[in-house]
Amino acid sequence: MLSSEHTEAAASIVDAIKERRSIRLFKNDPIPNELLLELLNVAIWAPTHGNRQPWRFILYTGEGRFAFANAVIGTYSAEEKEKNGATRFEYFTTIPAHLLIVMPEDPRQKQWEEDFAAACCLIQNFQLAAWEKGIGVVWKTNNFIFDPRFREAARIQPGEKIVGALHIGYPGLVPEARPRKPAEEMLTVIESS
């Protein structure tokens, strides 16, 4: 039987899962690197097959945000740069932190999928831990993470995959919850052979 402490903790986890939102508009307030590291040290408790812990992290804060913005804008066509470059540069440099989650690409399909799943669990852990501290995150998988120019600028090694770019900051706007389909609509129950 669970103790009342465990029951309260479970309730707060359920609340965090249901209340967390992807944040796209951030306040400019910086987040201390120590707090981001604290959140990462919670996130690494994600399930990982064989305890492989298949991840590494690249954090852009302070002036480093300019390096991130330049690396992203460096993937744009001349037309995109002219149309959106200045706006996107300003957007990226006002977000307090950007975090790349990087995993090794195991050539064995089973291990690759296990490692990718573990890294995705880590990202969700990070988002939930951040939300508990009043920090918002949006997990991006835009085309720039696949572009060789961005990969080179971010020092991504051959044989590594960027699982996501997390934009992190105190929420400037928290969107309303978007409805979810009930699990019952997607559930198949098999009770006998």
Side-chain angles (χ1 to χ4, degrees), residues 2 14 21 29 33-34 43 47 51 54 61 75 80 88 95-96 107 109 111-112 119 121 133 145 182 190-192:
L2 290 177
V14 169
R21 302 285 178 269
D29 303 342
N33 287 351
E34 297 77 22
N51 199 25
T61 63
T75 68
E80 289 174 311
R88 298 308 292 168
I95 295 172
Q109 182 177 356
Q111 285 77 5
W112 189 99
C121 289
K133 300 282 189 182
I145 70 171
I190 300 170
E191 294 182 326
S192 63

Side-chain angles (χ1 to χ4, degrees), residues 1-4 6-7:
M1 182 170 193
L2 290 177
S3 70
S4 62
H6 285 97
T7 304

Side-chain angles (χ1 to χ4, degrees), residues 40 54-58 99-103 119-120 122-123 126 139 156 161-166:
L40 276 173
W55 42 65
R56 72 181 185 93
F57 316 107
I58 302 169
L99 179 66
L100 300 180
I101 310 298
V102 182
M103 65 172 253
C120 291
L122 176 138
I123 291 172
F126 184 89
W139 174 2
I156 304 302
K161 173 180 180 53
I162 301 172
V163 180
L166 307 184

Side-chain angles (χ1 to χ4, degrees), residues 20-167:
R20 185 207 60 81
R21 302 285 178 269
S22 292
I23 302 299
R24 291 173 176 80
L25 182 63
F26 300 94
K27 296 178 181 177
N28 293 334
D29 303 342
I31 299 173
N33 287 351
E34 297 77 22
L35 178 52
L36 294 169
L37 187 58
E38 177 185 324
L39 296 172
L40 276 173
N41 276 313
V42 169
I44 62 172
W45 287 92
T48 166
H49 293 81
N51 199 25
R52 286 195 298 269
Q53 302 177 52
W55 42 65
R56 72 181 185 93
F57 316 107
I58 302 169
L59 178 61
Y60 298 87
T61 63
E63 297 297 313
R65 296 174 299 167
F66 292 92
F68 178 85
N70 283 323
V72 173
I73 306 295
T75 68
Y76 290 7
S77 68
E79 182 181 317
E80 289 174 311
K81 283 179 188 174
E82 186 175 322
K83 183 178 178 183
N84 298 318
T87 304
R88 298 308 292 168
F89 185 85
E90 181 180 355
Y91 174 71
F92 289 130
T93 56
T94 57
I95 295 172
H98 306 280
L99 179 66
L100 300 180
I101 310 298
V102 182
M103 65 172 253
E105 294 204 270
D106 195 302
R108 301 165 294 177
Q109 182 177 356
K110 178 181 183 293
Q111 285 77 5
W112 189 99
E113 291 187 14
E114 290 171 348
D115 291 349
F116 183 74
C120 291
C121 289
L122 176 138
I123 291 172
Q124 179 68 344
N125 281 358
F126 184 89
Q127 292 182 110
L128 292 171
W131 192 256
E132 183 182 57
K133 300 282 189 182
I135 297 169
V137 179
V138 64
W139 174 2
K140 302 300 268 183
T141 55
N142 295 43
N143 287 332
F144 70 82
I145 70 171
F146 305 100
D147 191 293
R149 295 166 292 187
F150 181 84
R151 291 175 56 86
E152 181 179 351
R155 299 183 183 119
I156 304 302
Q157 302 302 310
E160 288 186 317
K161 173 180 180 53
I162 301 172
V163 180
L166 307 184
H167 305 316

